[in-house]
Amino acid sequence: MSISTRNQSSIFKVFFLAIFFIVSNASAQFNMTVNADRLINAANEPQNWLLMNGNYGSTRYSKLTQINRQNVQNLRMVWALALGGMQDNGANGPENEVNPLIDNGFMYTTDGWGTVYKIDARNQNYGTFVWVCDPGVSHKGNVPRTRGIALWENLVIANLPDGRVIAINSENGEIVWDKQIAKKTEFDRMEKFFTAPIVADGKVLVQNGAGDGGTRGWVAALDAKTGNELWRWYVVPKPGDPGSETWKDDHNAWKTGGGGIWQTGSYDPESKLYIVGTGNPYPIYDPQFRPGDNLYTDSVVALDVNTGKIKWHFQYTPNDSWDYDEVGIHMLYDTKIDNENRKVVAHFGRNGFFYLLDRVTGKFIKATKYVNDLNWTAGIHPTTGKPLEYSPKLDIQIYNPQARALRGDGKKRACPTWHGGVAHQPTAFNPIKNIAYGVGIEGCFTQNGAEVKSKSKDGDVDMKASEKREYSSDLYFGAVTAFDTKNNKVLAKAVTNIEIRSGATVTAGGVLFTALQDGWIIAYNDETLEELWRFNVGTTLKGAPVTYSIGPKQYLAVQSGGRHLHPVKFDKLENSSYLFVFALN
């Protein structure tokens, strides 16, 4: 049967319209919104990096394999882009411990002062700004610090150093809503954001990190569409609330009780639980100021994202006096333990132990020492998960008296250092090999016991009237730890001659990446921690590396910014922070 010329013309029109529709859809992928399904399944988009810690489970594992053990030594810088955020930051530099987010060839990132950038990264030779949004944070009275941003639908959401939370239109860089969320307390102490926001079930979760400034840590949920606050949960409960009985003082220590949250938590979409670690109690080093276990400090808590109600908690170090806050990453994954399928929370504790908890109930499963030197306790009880010396009958815990300096005590040496083994640094987990990775600092510190004075029965502390605390550190070095979660032991450890303030990212190519403050980006064998490659960018690195791909090509990106190390000086790059991008030759 023949086809008429007219019918042929109609068929060709339909054909070309179909081709146009396919091509249009292919280009339209760059305009896809970051919806709930994409975030829940972020691990299945290895070409992108949609959440600060890779996925809701915060495992920072990439399925990309083009860069691998055999060729990682061929990584070369392909482009770099100067960002702002270095103005008026003082001697220490900005605290922007951040990595970019990547969505289909476009990067989104921020600097220490809260300026947000959208970058077109599709050209393999350079990146170009699509827009720059400066929300106008005053440099007076604020600190240039951030740990990242969040993507949700057509919005880029950022916490700002002045206590605001903003949502920016991802297409044009215009601010959609702007809310003042963190404020001053009754004692004129300023709440602050030291975390990246995370969006779960249409709610922006943000938290107060200024616990060491004598405020109460909290998590707040905002409506992602409007920025309106939906609920707020406080780490330190007020009198009458559950947990308040663990503050046994007579001067309202809860009002300045600390528990700041300064690393983003993880989210379990199935149970709709936000699982996040909390900071140390305040004052930090005088537990006699605040007798009791001091819930919910030094803990991990699971909050219902719809209501803000606490579903379960686990406290690592009750009545802490070493600054062993547990704000660090809590990784969520499923595994088999004793031939039973378990949903777990895994955590490199700042107190020197690697913990596994049940994700449904918060029940303790096991803990193992991962730092080299640890003396504050003889170990962890195999059933309760508490330190072996812990007694629920005591208001002031004793633990190891040789390592715990109480009021009137001279200097005592404790391990690990107050920086912990792993503190806030993003950790990683390879679900195929069942290896967890922590980067951080090892060592010990010495301090005396010093009394902190209360201002009045109504609360607050009087630091001017308090005794002087003296302290020093020793055995101080950086460390990368590979922990075998199946056999519950340290698999390998790499030592660096400088502390690691960055984070870890592991790939299916068998490579673990991290970065150092003196400018080195390093790649390790993910099983042996043998060093495979390193490159120095000439400026301070505190942001964790991330990997992504555009078309067939895999890239590695690292953002600079952080405390400058003295006597090390970076004269050439001191006026800018940078985004560095690497690829294979």
Side-chain angles (χ1 to χ4, degrees), residues 83-385:
L83 308 175
M86 298 289 285
Q87 308 85 0
D88 303 325
N89 53 53
N92 285 334
E95 293 284 320
N96 47 315
E97 299 164 347
V98 62
N99 55 249
L101 300 180
I102 298 99
D103 184 21
N104 287 313
F106 290 92
M107 285 185 173
Y108 301 85
T109 193
T110 183
D111 64 33
W113 284 116
T115 297
V116 180
Y117 307 82
K118 180 177 182 178
I119 299 161
D120 188 337
R122 291 174 296 177
N123 190 301
Q124 63 180 354
N125 298 314
Y126 56 84
T128 57
F129 292 113
V130 178
W131 50 253
V132 177
C133 177
D134 182 352
V137 173
S138 172
H139 294 193
K140 184 177 180 180
N142 293 308
V143 177
R145 179 177 294 181
T146 183
R147 288 193 170 90
I149 54 177
L151 302 179
W152 176 256
E153 295 187 345
N154 65 335
L155 299 176
V156 183
I157 299 169
N159 299 335
L160 302 181
D162 59 7
R164 288 183 289 152
V165 183
I166 61 171
I168 304 165
N169 184 301
S170 61
E171 290 299 310
N172 58 29
E174 298 293 327
I175 295 177
V176 177
W177 52 258
D178 183 334
K179 300 289 183 177
Q180 185 74 44
I181 303 298
K183 300 176 182 179
K184 285 188 175 182
T185 70
E186 64 177 292
F187 302 120
D188 205 34
R189 297 176 178 271
M190 188 63 198
E191 300 168 336
K192 291 184 179 295
F193 293 129
F194 298 146
T195 67
I198 187 171
V199 185
D201 199 34
K203 300 169 185 66
V204 181
L205 302 176
V206 298
Q207 38 252 325
N208 170 34
D212 289 359
T215 70
R216 296 162 69 203
W218 46 255
V219 179
L222 316 179
D223 184 294
K225 293 181 179 179
T226 64
N228 294 334
E229 186 169 326
L230 303 174
W231 55 256
R232 186 177 297 213
W233 176 84
Y234 282 90
V235 174
V236 178
K238 68 180 185 297
D241 286 349
S244 61
E245 70 280 1
T246 65
W247 294 77
K248 300 184 178 182
D249 59 277
D250 61 358
H251 49 266
N252 284 314
W254 66 273
K255 290 187 176 182
T256 51
I261 300 174
W262 40 281
Q263 182 55 279
T264 308
S266 304
Y267 176 57
D268 184 348
E270 183 179 351
S271 61
K272 294 189 183 300
L273 292 179
Y274 181 54
I275 298 172
V276 62
T278 67
N280 52 271
Y282 182 88
I284 305 172
Y285 303 104
D286 182 11
Q288 288 153 293
F289 183 95
R290 40 174 175 78
D293 286 358
N294 306 141
L295 287 175
Y296 294 90
T297 66
D298 285 12
S299 301
V300 56
V301 298
L303 304 178
D304 185 322
V305 296
N306 290 318
T307 65
K309 302 295 184 183
I310 187 169
K311 293 297 183 180
W312 57 255
H313 77 278
F314 176 81
Q315 188 175 40
Y316 297 96
T317 310
N319 196 223
D320 176 25
S321 66
W322 297 284
D323 197 9
Y324 291 159
D325 51 1
E326 297 299 352
V327 298
I329 299 298
H330 286 76
M331 299 177 289
L332 314 183
Y333 58 88
D334 298 345
T335 190
K336 184 167 286 189
I337 299 175
D338 298 329
N339 294 318
E340 181 184 356
N341 292 324
R342 300 289 294 271
K343 297 178 182 294
V344 301
V345 178
H347 175 63
F348 282 93
R350 192 167 179 173
N351 64 15
F353 293 94
F354 181 85
Y355 290 82
L356 281 182
L357 308 174
D358 186 284
R359 192 161 80 242
V360 178
T361 65
K363 185 178 179 180
F364 172 78
I365 298 174
K366 61 180 65 173
T368 303
K369 181 174 81 77
Y370 72 90
V371 296
N372 289 352
D373 295 281
L374 189 152
N375 74 347
W376 69 272
T377 179
I380 300 298
H381 193 284
T383 303
T384 66

Side-chain angles (χ1 to χ4, degrees), residues 189 212-214 256 282-286 289 450-456 459-469:
R189 297 176 178 271
D212 289 359
T256 51
Y282 182 88
I284 305 172
Y285 303 104
D286 182 11
F289 183 95
E451 180 181 0
V452 176
K453 297 287 189 181
S454 175
K455 276 194 174 179
S456 74
D460 206 1
V461 297
D462 189 343
M463 296 310 296
K464 290 183 179 179
S466 300
E467 294 179 354
K468 183 180 180 181
R469 172 178 170 264

